[in-house]
Amino acid sequence: MSDAMVSAVGVHKRFGRNEVLKGIDLTVDRGTVVCLLGPSGSGKSTLLRCINHLEKINRGRLSVDGQLVGYREARGKLYELHEREVARMRTQIGMVFQQFNLFPHMTALENVMLAPTRVLGLDRDRARERGVQLLTRVGLADKFDAHPVALSGGQQQRVAIARALAMEPKLMLFDEPTSALDPELVGEVLDVMRDLASTGMTMIVVTHEIGFAREAADAVVFMDDGIVVESGPPAEVLGAPRHERTRAFLSKVL
C-alpha cells in the first residue's frame, strides 16, 4: 500500500480566464498533518475543494488513497464519475469550513447524528452513542442538547469537527477553521485539532495560525499565485525559508 493519502500531479484549475491553480504537485502521506500557508488568492482553499471534488480540476491528476478524485481512467482517458459515486467517495473525506454551517433547528447532538443516519444508514442508537463520544471528545459533554444559537463560535466549530468525524473519514480537510472566530476562541478549536493530529488522522489544514503549523504540522506548504513556492518540515519553511516570497509573507504574519 502506498504511503500517499493524497497525490496531486500537475493540477490546474481555472475559473473562466482566471487560472487559480497552475500545476500543483503535492503528496500528503497518510497519518501526517500538512499546513497550507499563503496570501489570500494563492489557491489554497481552491486546492482543498478540488481534493473533495467540490471543484473540478481542468488538468492533471488528483487522487485520495490511490483513487482518482471524481474520475475514472480507461485507455488513457478520464471519465467523470456519476454524482452518486462522487458522493460515496466524499463520505470518506471530512471537511471543516470557515463557517460552521450547522442546522439551527437541531441540537448539537442532532447535528452530529444526522449524516451517519441519513448517509451511512446507522441506526439512531448507534449514531447517538457515536455523537455523544465525539462531542465529549471535543469538550462539549455539557452541550448535547444546546442549539447553535446558544453556542459560542468556538463551540459551534467544535460541533462541526465532531460532525465531520462522525462519518469516520480517512482524511480531514480544514479550510481556515479559526478565521471566523474571535481571537479568544481560536485556542479551543486548535486544541481539538492538535488532539486529532496526535491520533494519526491525515489532515490538510489551510491556516494563518503559524504557531499551530509550527507545532502540529509534519510539513508546511507555502503557496502563492497558484503554485507551490516551497514545502518541507516546519523548522525549514518557517525557520529558514529558501524563497524571498516566503520570507516576505512570514515577515508580515509573524
Side-chain angles (χ1 to χ4, degrees), residues 94-211:
M95 189 158 183
V96 178
F97 300 87
Q98 298 177 32
Q99 302 300 325
F100 323 123
N101 299 320
L102 301 178
F103 290 104
H105 63 288
M106 293 183 173
T107 66
L109 183 56
E110 289 169 341
N111 267 280
V112 175
M113 291 172 56
L114 182 64
T117 53
R118 293 280 185 87
V119 179
L120 300 182
L122 212 63
D123 68 76
R124 285 189 60 81
D125 288 343
R126 180 70 186 96
R128 180 181 179 81
E129 179 184 350
R130 182 182 295 178
V132 165
Q133 291 172 347
L134 289 170
L135 286 173
T136 300
R137 177 179 175 181
V138 299
L140 295 174
D142 59 338
K143 300 295 184 182
F144 297 155
D145 298 322
H147 286 78
V149 69
L151 300 174
S152 70
Q155 290 170 335
Q156 290 186 61
Q157 191 63 294
R158 285 186 279 158
V159 174
I161 293 173
R163 177 180 59 183
L165 292 174
M167 296 294 287
E168 298 188 339
K170 62 178 69 172
L171 169 67
M172 283 287 289
L173 309 176
F174 294 85
D175 188 7
E176 298 193 38
T178 60
S179 65
L181 301 179
D182 292 333
E184 65 268 23
L185 302 178
V186 169
E188 63 190 52
V189 173
L190 294 181
D191 284 344
V192 170
M193 294 170 62
R194 288 187 186 96
D195 176 70
L196 183 59
S198 72
T199 68
M201 172 65 74
T202 309
M203 298 165 54
I204 306 178
V205 185
V206 173
T207 184
H208 291 295
E209 298 292 339
I210 303 299

Side-chain angles (χ1 to χ4, degrees), residues 61 68 71-79:
R61 294 288 188 274
L68 285 172
Y71 298 90
R72 62 180 176 85
E73 188 169 8
R75 295 181 294 278
K77 292 185 178 181
L78 291 182
Y79 299 88

